[in-house]
Amino acid sequence: MRKPIIAGNWKMNNTIAEAEKLVKELKPLVKDAECDVVLCVPYTAIAAVAKLTKKSNIAVGAENVAWADKGAFTGEISAAMLKEVGATYAIIGHSERRQMFGETDETVNKRTIQALKYGLKPIVCVGETLEEREGGKTEEVVKRQTEGAFANVTATEMAQVVIAYEPVWAIGTGKTATDEQANETIAYIRSVLASLYGEETAQGVRIQYGGSMNPGNCKSLMAQPDIDGGLIGGASLKAADFNKVVHYNA
Ligand code: PGA
């Protein structure tokens, strides 16, 4: 019913030359993928990656998007600019941006609304820190982040949205949430969506797990009923590893 979606998040890695090399390796490997395949790449590599993947099953995304159409926002990149170079997705509210670059629930909401306005599919990240999990606050945190991100987003627009549940303590640490922990929190996020939009809309939204997802743990994570995909950092930087995650059932 929900088509699984595996997305790479390259973060601040790969020059254009490196990006081209990786994509050329990856393209033939994933061409028969049964899931949606997305590469979210640095702004500077989007045009090159979009060109190389044009007639393929790989979609390209950005790692952020500005909340305004245009104007005095030094350093920001608008949704129209991203579409122009071939992006169709944008990660919004990644925990690294929340922690290091002042992203808040409010700015995540503004960026999400802007992405939707321009037909970019947002991959909205939510997730608790270790301190919040140990303090029993996981549900409170993901509820606040989910309600915040989608304020004034309509049920119809939610069909375009992907959510990535990424426990901050599992990102880049090699520590994965257990399959059950990940599924439980994702099911809870879906229940928050159900209370905002109704059960039918909530059942249609794809929710990924992210945080040290790799060739070794992807199969059992993906076997969980509420986990609809993965947002893959480290393991998306090597073609062979990312391909194994894309073929998580093999
Ligand atoms: P990781 O990163 O797979 O390297 O843990 C995931 C992410 O931050 O999206």
Side-chain angles (χ1 to χ4, degrees):
M1 181 187 55
R2 295 186 295 266
K3 188 173 184 195
I5 173 167
I6 301 291
N9 172 14
W10 286 2
K11 311 191 178 187
M12 198 173 74
N13 293 292
N14 292 329
T15 61
I16 294 173
E18 289 163 344
E20 287 176 339
K21 186 169 176 280
L22 177 52
V23 171
K24 279 179 192 160
E25 246 182 283
L26 189 64
K27 215 163 74 165
L29 297 177
V30 301
K31 67 174 193 307
D32 62 344
E34 283 170 16
C35 59
D36 285 343
V37 180
V38 184
L39 295 177
C40 296
V41 309
Y43 291 132
T44 47
I46 293 174
V49 173
K51 195 172 167 207
L52 278 177
T53 54
K54 201 161 192 173
K55 286 193 183 96
S56 80
N57 60 329
I58 300 175
V60 185
E63 299 175 13
N64 196 3
V65 57
W67 63 66
D69 289 331
K70 57 159 79 175
F73 300 94
T74 303
E76 289 285 294
I77 306 284
S78 76
M81 293 168 182
L82 295 178
K83 293 225 38 180
E84 184 183 37
V85 287
T88 52
Y89 286 83
I91 296 174
I92 297 172
H94 191 278
S95 62
E96 286 151 16
R97 296 218 57 89
R98 292 181 191 256
Q99 291 190 318
M100 293 184 276
F101 301 100
E103 208 71 65
T104 65
D105 293 336
E106 194 192 342
T107 59
V108 169
N109 178 236
K110 287 163 75 172
R111 294 183 198 279
T112 301
I113 287 172
Q114 189 72 1
L116 289 165
K117 179 174 157 190
Y118 281 83
L120 276 177
K121 297 184 181 80
I123 301 178
V124 176
C125 303
V126 301
E128 81 288 359
T129 62
L130 185 59
E131 196 185 354
E132 288 162 345
R133 175 159 286 263
E134 286 175 346
K137 293 205 166 76
T138 299
E139 292 194 348
E140 179 186 323
V141 169
V142 298
K143 181 172 194 269
R144 190 203 74 224
Q145 291 174 334
T146 303
E147 289 176 347
F150 302 118
N152 300 313
V153 173
T154 66
T156 313
E157 288 172 324
M158 285 307 287
Q160 303 304 312
V161 166
V162 177
I163 297 174
Y165 166 59
E166 301 203 305
V168 178
W169 47 272
I171 295 177
T173 58
K175 274 190 212 165
T176 335
T178 64
D179 303 338
E180 292 74 24
Q181 274 175 330
N183 191 69
E184 186 181 43
T185 309
I186 288 177
Y188 176 74
I189 293 167
R190 202 178 299 290
S191 78
V192 173
L193 294 178
S195 59
L196 293 172
Y197 295 105
E199 193 59 36
E200 200 183 321
T201 300
Q203 286 301 329
V205 176
R206 296 185 290 182
I207 310 182
Q208 301 171 311
Y209 169 77
S212 299
M213 194 161 164
N214 61 42
N217 59 28
C218 57
K219 185 174 186 176
S220 60
L221 282 162
M222 289 300 291
Q224 294 288 324
D226 273 285
I227 302 182
D228 305 319
L231 185 57
I232 319 299
S236 72
L237 297 174
K238 288 198 183 120
D241 286 352
F242 189 64
N243 176 49
K244 281 184 193 146
V245 179
V246 165
H247 291 98
Y248 52 86
N249 265 334

